[in-house]
Amino acid sequence: MRKLTALFLALTLLAACSRSDDNGPKGVPGNSNANISHGKHARRIEVPAINNGELFIAHTTTVNGKENVTYSIVHNPERKHCRWTAFTFDPSNRAIKWKRDNWETTEWGGDPFQPNPEMPDNYVFTKNEINHNGFVRGHVVASYDRVYSKDANEQTFYYSNISPMYSRFNTGAWNDCEMNVQDWGRNSSFCDTLYVVKGGTIREGEYRTVGTCPTVPNYYFMALLCLKNNTYKAIGLLFKHENGNSRTQICTIDKLEEFTGIDFFCNVPDNVEATIERTLSPGLWQGLKNYTLFE
């Protein structure tokens, strides 16, 4: 069954930490900006730095008697929008065991878009705020990202994971890169683990209000970190949110951090983090097409 780890407010932004991450390589010390509060899930490699006062939630499911993190999220109640979501593809969750079409036979009457039951209603979008203002309910963590179990897939339909997207954007550049990420994450010859962060820009000046929809991001982003044979590679993806043919822009993680104000992969030891975040090698990301360099 699905369950939710305790909601809590983050108390600190940066702090020293010498432990290695629960879901990463062991025994590599030295990390000046890791998350050391907020519970064990905040120290996972995919989780960015958590700011003071942010609402951090880790959605979990039980798989074969073991807790599995479906995805983590930092949510902004005022904006009714996540600042980021984070999850992994690894041997425990890359399998395909559930089909989205199966929801057509549930008691939900074929509409699994439900408010997050663990989050107050006024913290998240309503269906009308999105649909009546010219947008579709776009997933941040894609439904097809989490199909290793019925419960995990259900959690992607929480409104806290829904963003107002233009239809052509949702089915265009965003969807194309979602499929790239899923192909990479489910390919064991490409990665042992793929760490994924997704979100939309919601700082002042980086979003717009449309009708009764309070927060429409101007840009969406993905930060990806691939681990294979104890070697990392990383790439940043940026998308302008427009009602047309948006292009995928690629950049270093350093550049994406500068643009979004998010400290990605803070739980990776400093010496590794510094190298992977300034290095960009598009040719190592097989199947990536139709992109331009973000400068």
Side-chain angles (χ1 to χ4, degrees), residues 146-197:
R146 307 283 80 176
V147 287
Y148 59 91
S149 77
K150 174 183 177 180
D151 290 339
N153 188 250
E154 179 181 354
Q155 290 175 343
T156 68
F157 289 98
Y158 291 162
Y159 263 97
S160 51
N161 181 52
I162 298 301
S163 183
M165 294 184 183
Y166 290 116
S167 178
R168 291 180 65 186
F169 173 84
N170 185 44
T171 59
W174 184 250
N175 180 70
D176 291 345
C177 279
E178 283 184 327
M179 290 191 294
N180 276 138
V181 170
Q182 291 153 7
D183 288 345
W184 294 327
R186 294 194 171 102
N187 184 349
S188 60
S189 65
F190 179 81
C191 68
D192 297 323
T193 303
L194 183 65
Y195 307 94
V196 183
V197 186

Side-chain angles (χ1 to χ4, degrees), residues 84-85 87 139-142 145 165 169-170 172-182 184 194-200 219-225 234-239 248-253 256-257 260 264-265 288:
W84 50 256
T85 63
F87 61 97
H139 285 70
V140 184
V141 179
D145 289 337
M165 294 184 183
F169 173 84
N170 185 44
W174 184 250
N175 180 70
D176 291 345
C177 279
E178 283 184 327
M179 290 191 294
N180 276 138
V181 170
Q182 291 153 7
W184 294 327
L194 183 65
Y195 307 94
V196 183
V197 186
K198 294 181 180 181
Y219 287 85
Y220 288 89
F221 59 84
M222 301 183 189
L224 309 176
L225 179 63
I235 193 170
L237 306 175
L238 188 64
F239 314 84
T248 302
Q249 300 179 80
I250 66 169
C251 60
T252 63
I253 299 299
L256 192 61
E257 288 180 333
T260 62
F264 299 105
F265 310 123
L288 185 62

